[in-house]
Amino acid sequence: MLFQTANEQQTERLAAALARCLHPCDVVFLYGRPGAGKTAFVRGVAQALGIKGHISSPTFALVHEHPLAKGMLVHMDLYRLEGQGLEELGLEEYLEAPDTICLVEWPQGLEDWVQAPICVELTPQQADEQARTIRIDGVKDERRLQEELGCEF
């Protein structure tokens, strides 16, 4: 599914609609160059799931855990690892946890570990620095996502 957003707020609203379609054990891979809006997308998901407070990229921590009413939202940023040494970090514990939703920025290196992730690719538009083209693949219930979005996108 392909969407166009005009600004960061619309990107967050699109992410919030996706959040309402996520289930425990879902893994979302986020692709895009630096500054493409991956963390803004995570912020939209987190806010829709009821997480309060500042959402930032865990570039140096690698993982941020956010408790949910039932389970946890895990935000990973694997940019600095470039696929090396992932086996030693214990990330599979997050990826296989029964009540956890994982959002992974820079997932290269994990792609062989996860069966059927949801993939989100964010591409900034050259003509407008705020606008994004966002491709979402692998959503189990695309019809529900369309309903959540209404006719906004």
Side-chain angles (χ1 to χ4, degrees):
M1 298 181 346
L2 198 61
F3 304 94
Q4 301 289 326
T5 62
N7 52 47
E8 189 171 296
Q9 293 77 23
Q10 280 190 352
T11 297
E12 289 178 6
R13 285 199 304 272
L14 174 59
L18 176 63
R20 292 186 289 272
C21 300
L22 294 176
H23 305 284
C25 299
D26 277 345
V27 177
V28 179
F29 285 170
L30 297 153
Y31 296 94
R33 67 170 177 76
K38 296 179 296 294
T39 301
F41 198 90
V42 170
R43 189 171 35 254
V45 169
Q47 290 171 349
L49 295 175
I51 295 170
K52 306 289 186 216
H54 182 68
I55 301 295
S56 62
S57 184
T59 302
F60 295 102
L62 300 181
V63 176
H64 286 169
E65 298 177 358
H66 303 281
L68 301 171
K70 291 184 179 180
M72 184 174 13
L73 175 69
V74 173
H75 179 196
M76 299 180 196
D77 183 333
L78 306 179
Y79 177 72
R80 293 183 323 116
L81 299 181
E82 296 182 29
Q84 60 187 358
L86 296 178
E87 301 83 17
E88 301 163 8
L89 296 176
L91 299 178
E92 65 275 358
E93 291 177 27
Y94 290 117
L95 298 169
E96 297 170 0
D99 292 329
T100 299
I101 295 171
C102 292
L103 305 173
V104 186
E105 296 185 42
W106 304 96
Q108 294 81 349
L110 288 185
E111 293 161 327
D112 291 338
W113 292 16
V114 178
Q115 299 286 329
I118 297 168
C119 295
V120 177
E121 182 178 0
L122 297 101
T123 306
Q125 298 303 301
Q126 300 228 352
D128 182 352
E129 190 63 30
Q130 291 291 310
R132 302 283 184 267
T133 299
I134 301 173
R135 176 180 299 280
I136 301 176
D137 294 311
V139 176
K140 293 170 185 73
D141 189 351
E142 288 186 5
R143 179 177 291 179
R144 179 166 179 216
L145 178 57
Q146 291 289 354
E147 289 171 1
E148 291 290 339
L149 290 169
C151 56
E152 185 172 356
F153 296 97

